[in-house]
Amino acid sequence: MTARRRVAITGLGLVTPAGNDVASTWATLQSGRSMGGPITIFDASGFSTRIAAEVKNFDPRAVIDDRRLLKYANRSHAFALAAADQAFADAGVRPTPATSPRWGLAVGTGMMGMGWPELSSLGLAAGDGEDVDPERLLASDTGRDPMVFCRAQNAAGLALLGRRHGIGGYATSVHTACASGGQAIGTAMKLIRRGTVDCALAGGFDSMVNPVGLAGFCLLGAVSPDNDDPTHASRPFDATRNGFVLGEGAGFVVLEAWEHALARGARIYAELAGDGNSLSSYRITDSHPSGDGPIQAMRWALADADATPDDVDYVNAHGTSTPMNDRSESAAIHVVFGDGAGRVSVSSTKSMMGHLIAAAGAVEAAICALSIHHGVLPVNANYVNPDPDCELNLVTGQARPHAVRVALSNSLGFGGSNSCLAFRHPEFDGGRA
Amino acid sequence: MTAKPAVVVTGSGAICGSGRSPAAIVDALLEGRSALAPIATWDVAHWPRPIAAEIADYNAAVLAGDRKLLKLIRRTDVVGLYAAGEAVAEAGFVVYRGGLDEAAAARFSERTGLYVGSGGGTYQNQYDYFPLIRETGGELPGFGSELVSGVNPMWLLKSLPNNVLCHVGIRFGIKGPNACITNHSVSGMLAIVEGAAGIANGEADRAVAIGHDTPIEPQNVLYYHGAGLLAREMLRPFDESRDGSLMGEGAGALMLESDASARARGAAVLGRVLGAGHATESEGLLAIREDGDGPARAMRAALADAGIDRGDVGMIVAHGNGTPASDASEALAILDVFGANAPPVTGFKWAIGHLIAAAGAIETVLAFEALRRGVVPGIPTLERIDPAFAALPVSRTAARSRSDIALVLSRGFGGTDAALVVRAA
């Protein structure tokens, strides 16, 4: 088993509510500053929840020099293009015509559909109960607009990234709701391991900070209604938590076969060492309160990484700040770490940048790589009231300097998919001969 | 180099306009019956492209096998659940697990994976908002404040692209590695590829792989027509007069299993997965290279991964979607890879339509059924092969497969190409 290829993380790119690049995002995550605020990108005044963590001051044209490409991009695609550009620049390697077939692409893609302007205009022009009138659809602006079609495709983000960077190998788009980003990065790791490609761009992108996305979560009562105190609304593991704060953005990593990275003298942030991928098969929205599902994901990720619970210094929790998720995930951490549960540091960075949905797992994977690289653990902000169901060694107050041998990142999705990624410090050799 | 662990098939299921089992669909193909007909779901009298292959007598409660579940799923999920149920039943999965003690059964469930190729979001998903949009004149403050009284609270859950993953998992107690692939019309094939890879890598002992999609809805059909992708009347793969594709709907599913697991269970083996190959042309969302670079690279990689020579392939199931550009480049790629002595080439979309995210899954299921019979179904809508690739061995009539090995091709938006090599038992 140890003869298989190792996978290096050599480039990072982030566009998040905490900052529009890696450095600014990382600085925010160390400050413990929560980025929730009133929604500004549409009129949310009538919604029960009117707050979110938005990406601010993002001008696609300032960072992507291809107007034609941007024409096909919606907000989340633009985040993806910007973050992927950063990741390649950071890695100092990119596909060439000669290496292109050996480069893969795996992206966690959000739920696609029409934007609000198109949906509302179509509803008014051609809506017929909860259906469309085909005759009026034929004459509608939305029905005639090919851009609505192109931007709504699941493969739209993949197509934009592939074209911009000339990726010629295996390319895939996955969606397991809030686990999408983690599953995309796990998929890319496996593609390199099994020799399908040597290098990959992997990540996730999403923006559900729009009327339709917000509506879906409001209807489910999944988002915090604390409109008067948006910077404290996301408080994972706190006893008073009452829902997540919607975020948006993109995270991308450049992955390389270990020898490939070494051969070019690349800086290796961390080894992407393990993927644990389980299905809860319990309820659509929740894992079992016992932690069944997330438990297997964490155990399998550790085994896949040749690591034991004792090797783990940091868990970047899914920690959405919903009552059910945080309780189930805490239970799972206690089962996996047993007596060591008090030793391992845990934080949910969703406390500061909200829940990036299909991008969350990818952004948080990059954060784990940064934690290992810098030896610093980001904060679990807004934790004030202990919950006996969530007794964890949370990183509260200030970022915590701490050497990290192994880090785990959990992403637990609606639909029951659980992704746990395991990251090793490049020089940590515990568990390996 | 260690030999790759063998991945076998122990169950299959399929549903589309041509039938509700792999055998019934291949019967229809061999009898020259096409399910492509004027769309019945809405009035297409004024519709520019009125033809598709719908599932006749669609009854959601019967197909889903659970009336209560219909509040939480959509048509695309119903057909996925149906095909998965057929594959799981044929494999004897539930019966076998029922005979295990509690601990062994739990391990059996955790060692079972689930990989789904899904069409993901459709336009119709969002129509649940129309009544409220009309009521509030499309004004956001009113829309927001009336939301809870005006829209089904389950809207988001009902619209999840990974619903089949969720509900097949719950129904059959599957708890192992999983994926939901939303990658246009290579999704179904990638579900099989990733399921087989999960087994070969030792992550699971068996896995259900599913592709499902129901793309025949007015807005979607209109956009495909707008993009110039749809035929007027008939889907004629590789014909000189071909003028586009036509949509179908349905699902295909396989129970994949390690050879060791199948033998330990005493399960009947229907076939095996030998290898896969992938390439992306990355020219854009809809663009396709004329020279067939993507499919050629995918096929060569698949042959290498399977460890076979091109001469070992008995039949090729082409993507054959009927669009001028895709068929031409695919034909050039096949001739490039297989040379003058290519095995019989066929495709199934002339009869079942293009099932988009389900295409690669159902076409692989049908390839197994065709291999079992040793027959390469013909393409009856082919009248005159395009002289640009006259050497391509396609035929109106059925032929014998040269061997028990088939190569299946899938192509999707974004320039993605995938090839899968499978063998009959």
Side-chain angles (χ1 to χ4, degrees):
Chain A
M1 291 300 280
T2 45
R4 67 173 184 222
R5 297 174 110 188
R6 294 169 72 191
V7 176
I9 301 173
T10 58
L12 305 175
L14 293 172
V15 175
T16 76
N20 294 351
D21 57 26
V22 171
S24 57
T25 296
W26 184 238
T28 300
L29 298 184
Q30 289 179 80
S31 74
R33 211 150 32 92
S34 184
M35 306 307 285
I39 290 173
T40 64
I41 52 183
F42 67 94
D43 181 354
S45 59
F47 287 74
S48 53
T49 290
R50 302 182 285 278
I51 55 171
E54 296 176 343
V55 168
K56 298 282 193 199
N57 305 316
F58 178 78
D59 176 6
R61 292 179 167 205
V63 286
I64 303 295
D65 56 2
D66 186 337
R67 294 280 167 101
R68 201 178 120 72
L69 210 60
L70 286 176
K71 209 175 77 164
Y72 290 87
N74 67 19
R75 186 170 170 88
S76 74
H77 298 140
F79 295 154
L81 287 166
D85 267 21
Q86 292 173 23
F88 277 120
D90 187 42
V93 65
R94 61 179 68 245
T96 65
T99 63
S100 164
R102 301 299 301 163
W103 275 85
L105 174 62
V107 294
T109 302
M111 284 175 71
M112 304 314 280
M114 287 175 275
W116 174 256
E118 296 81 20
L119 179 68
S120 55
S121 114
L122 182 64
L124 293 173
D128 177 14
E130 291 184 358
D131 212 335
V132 74
D133 175 346
E135 297 292 323
R136 284 185 285 141
L137 168 68
L138 283 173
S140 70
D141 292 339
T142 301
R144 291 160 178 271
D145 185 352
M147 283 303 143
V148 180
F149 176 60
C150 291
R151 294 189 197 116
Q153 291 300 314
N154 293 299
L158 169 146
L160 290 167
L161 292 164
R163 178 168 173 85
R164 181 156 178 85
H165 301 290
I167 293 168
Y170 187 123
T172 192
S173 157
V174 300
H175 179 98
T176 43
C178 322
S180 305
Q183 292 216 338
I185 290 180
T187 297
M189 179 190 77
K190 292 173 193 174
L191 291 175
I192 293 175
R193 276 189 183 169
R194 66 186 200 235
T196 304
V197 296
D198 298 323
C199 307
L201 175 70
F205 56 91
D206 209 347
S207 176
M208 292 184 80
V209 186
N210 57 59
V212 180
L214 181 65
F217 291 119
C218 283
L219 287 166
L220 286 174
V223 277
S224 170
D226 293 356
N227 296 309
D228 297 332
D229 195 5
T231 59
H232 295 98
S234 179
R235 42 185 187 278
F237 306 109
D238 187 279
T240 66
R241 67 191 182 276
N242 60 2
F244 67 81
V245 169
L246 193 53
E248 58 175 353
F252 277 86
V253 298
V254 170
L255 303 177
E256 296 176 58
W258 199 260
E259 294 70 25
H260 189 280
L262 289 185
R264 66 180 191 90
R267 170 209 43 219
I268 297 174
Y269 284 102
E271 176 183 356
L272 177 55
D275 174 61
N277 177 8
S278 74
L279 196 57
S280 291
S281 288
Y282 176 63
R283 289 182 183 157
I284 307 177
T285 50
D286 305 310
S287 296
H288 194 279
S290 69
D292 184 56
I295 293 170
Q296 290 91 327
M298 282 190 274
R299 285 186 169 154
W300 296 345
L302 285 170
D304 195 34
D306 305 316
T308 68
D310 289 343
D311 298 328
V312 177
D313 294 304
Y314 175 57
V315 175
N316 185 294
H318 187 55
T320 55
S321 182
T322 65
M324 284 304 298
N325 174 81
D326 294 3
R327 186 172 72 159
S328 173
E329 190 177 10
S330 297
I333 290 171
H334 277 277
V335 171
V336 170
F337 290 94
D339 293 343
R343 180 194 58 78
V344 64
S345 299
V346 178
S347 68
S348 166
T349 39
K350 291 185 181 72
S351 59
M352 293 169 285
M353 58 184 169
H355 190 346
L356 277 64
I357 314 294
V363 168
E364 291 161 20
I367 291 165
C368 283
L370 288 165
S371 299
I372 287 174
H373 184 66
H374 294 294
V376 175
L377 310 182
V379 181
N380 191 102
N382 296 331
Y383 180 78
V384 177
N385 307 288
D387 177 348
D389 286 334
C390 303
E391 283 185 3
L392 299 168
N393 178 3
L394 294 170
V395 183
T396 55
Q398 292 287 309
R400 190 180 286 174
H402 196 306
V404 179
R405 296 164 296 162
V406 173
L408 298 181
S409 173
N410 286 338
S411 297
L412 318 174
F414 279 3
S417 288
N418 307 301
S419 159
C420 179
L421 298 173
F423 307 84
R424 293 174 66 111
H425 191 285
E427 285 156 23
F428 175 60
D429 60 6
R432 285 176 174 160
Chain B
M1 293 291 282
T2 50
K4 281 196 306 177
V7 176
V8 302
V9 176
T10 56
S12 72
I15 179 169
C16 67
S18 295
R20 297 184 181 197
S21 72
I25 298 165
V26 170
D27 284 346
L29 291 169
L30 291 172
E31 289 161 19
R33 281 187 280 123
S34 167
L36 287 162
I39 292 166
T41 312
W42 72 91
D43 180 1
V44 288
H46 304 121
W47 211 251
R49 291 291 183 274
I51 310 292
E54 294 173 298
I55 294 170
D57 306 320
Y58 173 85
N59 181 320
V62 170
L63 291 173
D66 178 356
R67 186 173 295 278
K68 280 188 298 183
L69 194 56
L70 297 182
K71 283 186 292 191
L72 290 170
I73 60 175
R74 296 179 189 270
R75 184 171 174 121
T76 180
D77 306 318
V78 169
V79 296
L81 272 162
Y82 172 83
E86 295 286 293
V88 168
E90 186 176 25
F93 173 87
V94 175
V95 173
Y96 179 82
R97 185 176 53 193
L100 300 174
D101 66 43
E102 198 179 332
R107 179 162 170 78
F108 188 83
S109 297
E110 289 185 355
R111 292 289 299 169
T112 303
L114 182 52
Y115 297 81
V116 182
S118 165
T122 67
Y123 300 99
Q124 275 178 347
N125 284 358
Q126 296 178 297
Y127 298 169
D128 290 10
Y129 287 113
F130 279 175
L132 185 58
I133 286 171
R134 293 173 74 79
E135 196 178 301
T136 57
E139 296 297 325
L140 271 172
F143 176 82
S145 58
E146 298 303 317
L147 191 58
V148 175
S149 56
V151 182
N152 175 3
M154 294 293 126
W155 174 79
L156 183 70
L157 301 182
K158 206 175 165 185
S159 302
L160 289 176
N162 51 324
N163 262 340
V164 166
L165 179 61
C166 174
H167 293 292
V168 170
I170 291 173
R171 176 173 291 181
F172 298 110
I174 295 170
K175 301 185 72 173
N178 58 88
C180 177
I181 297 151
T182 53
N183 199 11
H184 196 245
S185 50
V186 294
S187 303
M189 182 171 285
L190 294 189
I192 298 172
V193 169
E194 291 305 314
I199 293 166
N201 295 338
E203 295 158 35
D205 296 324
R206 68 203 69 74
V208 183
I210 308 160
H212 68 99
D213 207 350
T214 52
I216 308 168
E217 54 179 69
Q219 199 176 351
N220 201 38
V221 171
L222 187 59
Y223 289 142
Y224 271 81
H225 168 52
L229 296 172
L230 294 185
R232 281 184 177 75
E233 295 171 347
M234 235 185 263
L235 199 160
R236 302 177 182 277
F238 306 111
D239 192 279
E240 76 171 338
S241 68
R242 69 190 183 281
D243 65 342
S245 202
L246 290 167
M247 285 183 182
E249 60 177 353
L254 293 172
M255 176 66 86
L256 305 169
E257 200 149 357
S258 74
D259 197 33
S261 166
R263 267 190 276 135
R265 298 201 301 117
V269 170
L270 312 176
R272 53 189 64 222
V273 177
L274 299 184
H278 311 272
T280 306
E281 292 182 348
S282 284
E283 302 278 316
L285 187 69
L286 303 177
I288 291 177
R289 281 174 61 133
E290 288 181 9
D291 62 3
D293 169 74
R297 286 195 287 122
M299 285 187 279
R300 287 200 169 93
L303 294 173
D305 189 45
I308 63 167
D309 184 76
R310 62 182 183 172
D312 297 331
V313 175
M315 62 184 276
I316 295 171
V317 178
H319 187 61
N321 69 13
T323 64
S326 179
D327 282 7
S329 55
E330 187 178 15
L332 292 181
I334 291 170
L335 292 172
D336 180 38
V337 173
F338 286 88
N341 193 30
V345 175
T346 189
F348 304 141
K349 292 184 179 71
W350 66 269
I352 68 173
H354 192 339
L355 275 66
I356 312 292
I362 194 168
E363 289 164 14
T364 302
V365 169
L366 301 178
F368 275 117
E369 178 65 19
L371 283 175
R372 197 179 65 76
R373 304 182 190 195
V375 174
V376 185
I379 303 175
T381 59
L382 182 73
E383 287 188 347
R384 184 165 178 273
I385 188 168
D386 189 327
F389 41 82
L392 191 75
V394 284
S395 165
R396 285 174 64 90
T397 55
R400 299 300 301 173
S401 180
R402 282 192 197 166
S403 74
D404 58 356
I405 295 176
L407 183 148
V408 188
L409 265 168
S410 280
R411 315 189 68 187
F413 283 179
T416 50
D417 292 294
L420 188 66
V421 180
V422 299
R423 176 176 229 152

